[in-house]
């Protein structure tokens, strides 16, 4: 979907007041209204655009989102929630390690395998930490669906060091 600049559609500046937006909308709506241009498909499409632009720019909340996120303004809150969740879950890339206990997974009996991986709940609230050797590296890796289902060995270079993955 192509980005539509609502300010250009209405012919107003980004700093336009609500009154200026309303005035520009009314002027264009009178000119492009489908009743006044019954056989003009271009006028009908432009009329729909100015209605959409007015709907967004005349609402202060929608306008703030539009100004902040541009063409993706409708999904801005989802982006913020995902970003916030990532920071809470993974420490926001701060290098902080996340440790888990059986309590984090609803308690209950876990096998020795899970206890060794995530720590045991023995001792009440004291959390035993799992120690890992080596440094932490942060990198992004994009995989397509076929790569996810195929097992193969690959060597990546992260921060100048080679890392082998399977």
């Amino acid at each position: 979907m192509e980005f539509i600049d609502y300010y250009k559609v209405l012919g107003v500046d980004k700093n336009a007041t609500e009154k200026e937006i309303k005035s520009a909308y009314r002027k264009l709506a009178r000119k492009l209204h489908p009743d006044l241009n019954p056989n003009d498909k271009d006028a009908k499409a432009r009329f729909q655009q100015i209605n959409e632009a007015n709907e967004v720019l005349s609402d202060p909340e929608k306008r703030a989102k539009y100004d902040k996120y541009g063409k993706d303004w409708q999904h801005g809150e989802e982006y913020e929630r995902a970003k916030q969740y990532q920071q809470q879950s993974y420490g926001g890339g701060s290098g902080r390690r996340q440790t888990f206990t059986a309590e984090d997974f609803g308690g209950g009996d876990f096998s020795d395998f899970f206890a060794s991986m995530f720590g045991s709940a023995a001792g009440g609230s004291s959390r035993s930490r799992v120690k890992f050797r080596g440094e932490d590296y942060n990198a992004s890796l994009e995989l397509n669906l076929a790569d996810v289902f195929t097992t193969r060995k690959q060597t990546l270079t992260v921060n100048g060091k080679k890392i082998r993955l399977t």
Side-chain angles (χ1 to χ4, degrees), residues 29-90:
R30 273 187 241 121
K31 179 181 171 185
L32 299 169
H33 197 279
D35 290 344
L36 299 174
N37 303 291
N39 297 323
D40 190 350
K41 291 182 180 182
D42 187 46
K44 183 179 178 182
R46 290 255 306 129
F47 183 74
Q48 289 173 335
Q49 278 187 337
I50 64 167
N51 276 328
E52 186 178 327
N54 181 59
E55 184 180 322
V56 173
L57 297 181
S58 63
D59 182 327
E61 200 173 297
K62 289 180 182 177
R63 183 176 179 182
K65 289 179 189 175
Y66 177 78
D67 289 342
K68 185 173 181 180
Y69 299 108
K71 72 175 184 166
D72 297 320
W73 70 273
Q74 292 170 314
H75 306 292
E77 288 177 353
E78 295 167 16
Y79 169 76
E80 290 296 329
R81 278 194 300 266
K83 186 173 154 187
Q84 192 175 35
Y85 173 77
Q86 181 183 14
Q87 288 176 342
Q88 289 172 351
S89 298
Y90 304 111

Side-chain angles (χ1 to χ4, degrees), residues 5-54:
D5 186 344
Y6 292 148
Y7 293 103
K8 284 185 181 178
V9 168
L10 293 179
V12 295
D13 188 55
K14 289 191 181 213
N15 299 322
T17 64
E18 285 184 46
K19 187 176 179 180
E20 291 171 326
I21 290 170
K22 189 182 232 181
S23 174
Y25 166 72
R26 285 184 176 168
K27 182 179 172 184
L28 289 169
R30 273 187 241 121
K31 179 181 171 185
L32 299 169
H33 197 279
D35 290 344
L36 299 174
N37 303 291
N39 297 323
D40 190 350
K41 291 182 180 182
D42 187 46
K44 183 179 178 182
R46 290 255 306 129
F47 183 74
Q48 289 173 335
Q49 278 187 337
I50 64 167
N51 276 328
E52 186 178 327
N54 181 59

